[in-house]
Amino acid sequence: MDPSTNEDGVGLAFALMASAARMVERIDDGVARRGFTDVRPTHGFAFAFLAAGGGTITGLAAHLGMTKQAAAQLVDEMETKGYVRRGPHPRDARARLVELTDAGRACMRAAEEAAAEAAGAWSGALGADRMVRLRRDLEHMAGDGPLRPMW
């Protein structure tokens, strides 16, 4: 198999994207089973960005690869559902800081549990040693870029 050929490249891209989609679906299902039925995967990507002390709508938009208007709508929705709150930004009087609420942090914990469950299923299918190698290899290839939904 020559990975430089178009066929192999497309096959690899498809396998990675399909595997990622299956993992996201399993996590989403696990989050719903834990009582968080009003969130979708996009919320999870936003939660991951906000988990480290909050952020601005501008930062969230850049992180998710969306417009500021779309990020503001997402924050409006998450605020209405009680997962985030807006407050004054400690270093920028012009900006608002968006932070997770207790409900948002609880949803994050549910997602972490669901992710561990999903990874456990992969480990069961592949074996523990192959799973460790797979994770290491994927982390190496992923680099340090932002984690974004595949729109």
Side-chain angles (χ1 to χ4, degrees):
M1 177 154 83
D2 180 359
S4 66
T5 66
N6 187 41
E7 183 177 315
D8 291 338
V10 169
L12 175 62
F14 177 81
L16 286 170
M17 288 186 286
S19 295
R22 298 301 81 76
M23 180 65 77
V24 169
E25 287 171 5
R26 290 185 78 129
I27 294 168
D28 191 44
D29 290 346
V31 168
R33 281 194 316 276
R34 287 165 174 81
F36 297 93
T37 57
D38 61 346
V39 294
R40 56 188 194 279
T42 302
H43 294 113
F45 291 100
F47 288 170
F49 173 76
L50 298 171
T56 63
I57 288 177
T58 300
L60 180 62
H63 177 77
L64 294 177
M66 61 174 40
T67 66
K68 287 187 236 179
Q69 292 82 2
Q73 288 176 341
L74 181 63
V75 169
D76 287 345
E77 179 186 354
M78 293 188 310
E79 189 173 36
T80 297
K81 293 177 179 187
Y83 294 116
V84 300
R85 70 175 154 264
R86 296 177 221 218
H89 195 286
R91 293 177 305 281
D92 184 350
R94 298 167 298 158
R96 304 278 291 160
L97 183 66
V98 180
E99 298 178 286
L100 294 178
T101 63
D102 288 343
R105 285 188 289 281
C107 187
M108 285 265 322
R109 284 191 298 279
E112 290 165 359
E113 292 169 5
E117 188 177 88
W122 279 28
S123 185
L126 297 174
D129 290 341
R130 281 182 66 198
M131 186 66 178
V132 168
R133 287 194 314 271
L134 175 63
R135 180 179 175 173
R136 192 175 337 141
D137 290 345
L138 290 173
E139 286 172 346
H140 174 74
M141 298 308 295
D144 294 330
L147 179 61
R148 290 184 173 151
M150 293 184 289
W151 304 109

